[in-house]
Amino acid sequence: MLTTGPLNEVPAGAPQPAGAHGTGASLPRALLLNASGEPLCVVSLHRAVVLVMTGKATVLESEGRLLHSERAAIPLPVVLSLTRYVHVPTRRPVPPTRRTVLQRDDHRCAYCGGGADTVDHVLPRSRGGRHEWGNVVAACVRCNHRKADHLLHELGWELRFTPRAPRWSVAFGAAAVRAEPVWSRYLAA
Ligand SMILES: [Zn+2]
């Protein structure tokens, strides 16, 4: 996991304060990027403000409101970037599991676009398909059942997107990734 300096932060799935959901009125956490633009972790608002005030990070996306401290007013950070690159030696790729695949595909079926809660191998395992990010997609039960061991062209089906490994690391839980729509641009594969 992440162990360096400013990266030790709240667990990604930490509960949000009451009233923080849905309204957009309150953003209790911010997405922290490395100086290279790579997403690192989710930090508390307090931590985000400290990073900005100490010059360790700059705000890339903010909410309109200003946060007032004793010395200054800064925009409420939503996405921020470290000013100096931090080497993260143990960055493990996220393995494709049911949960992470559904998360990457936003619970949308790759074939029909409907709500999905199963995972399908595009090239079926019975035909040599591997269990890897480029070959797994979220699928609804109906499409998954109809597809079975067929190839897409046999059914005249097409993928609605090209499956790729996500950029987010294991540091991000489902809650963190889904928390703020603004973050998605920085987390996209
Ligand atoms: Zn479907």
Side-chain angles (χ1 to χ4, degrees):
M1 292 294 279
L2 304 171
T3 53
T4 319
L7 309 181
N8 289 324
E9 254 318 313
V10 287
Q16 299 191 6
H21 250 143
T23 62
S26 177
L27 296 169
R29 296 174 300 166
L31 177 66
L32 179 63
L33 310 179
N34 209 336
S36 57
E38 192 179 32
L40 286 176
C41 61
V42 176
V43 295
S44 67
L45 186 56
H46 175 76
R47 184 65 176 167
V49 169
V50 169
L51 287 169
V52 173
M53 300 292 279
T54 54
K56 288 178 179 159
T58 54
V59 178
L60 295 184
E61 301 271 357
S62 62
E63 211 205 48
R65 289 187 298 156
L66 291 179
L67 273 176
H68 296 276
S69 75
E70 289 162 21
R71 281 172 295 167
I74 67 163
L76 200 67
V78 180
V79 180
L80 60 166
S81 168
L82 289 176
T83 47
R84 288 186 170 204
Y85 180 78
V86 174
H87 181 61
V88 183
T90 54
R91 194 175 171 81
R92 286 186 293 144
V94 194
T97 63
R98 178 174 171 278
R99 185 177 72 80
T100 57
V101 172
L102 292 177
Q103 191 177 322
R104 179 198 66 181
D105 298 349
D106 202 22
H107 291 73
R108 292 274 148 213
C109 176
Y111 304 117
C112 74
D117 43 30
T118 69
V119 168
D120 183 57
H121 292 91
V122 180
L123 175 63
R125 303 202 80 172
S126 62
R127 298 199 181 189
R130 304 233 301 241
H131 185 73
E132 58 192 18
W133 280 110
N135 192 46
V136 289
V137 291
C140 69
V141 174
R142 193 180 141 96
C143 288
N144 205 333
H145 186 70
R146 283 186 61 199
K147 183 163 170 293
D149 284 341
H150 294 293
L151 302 179
L152 289 186
H153 74 262
E154 294 172 352
L155 295 162
W157 288 10
E158 284 183 5
L159 286 171
R160 299 166 68 92
F161 57 87
T162 305
R164 294 192 182 91
R167 284 181 72 191
W168 28 272
S169 76
V170 285
F172 298 99
V177 171
R178 296 181 63 81
E180 297 302 334
V182 181
W183 295 355
S184 60
R185 179 147 45 101
Y186 299 92
L187 296 171

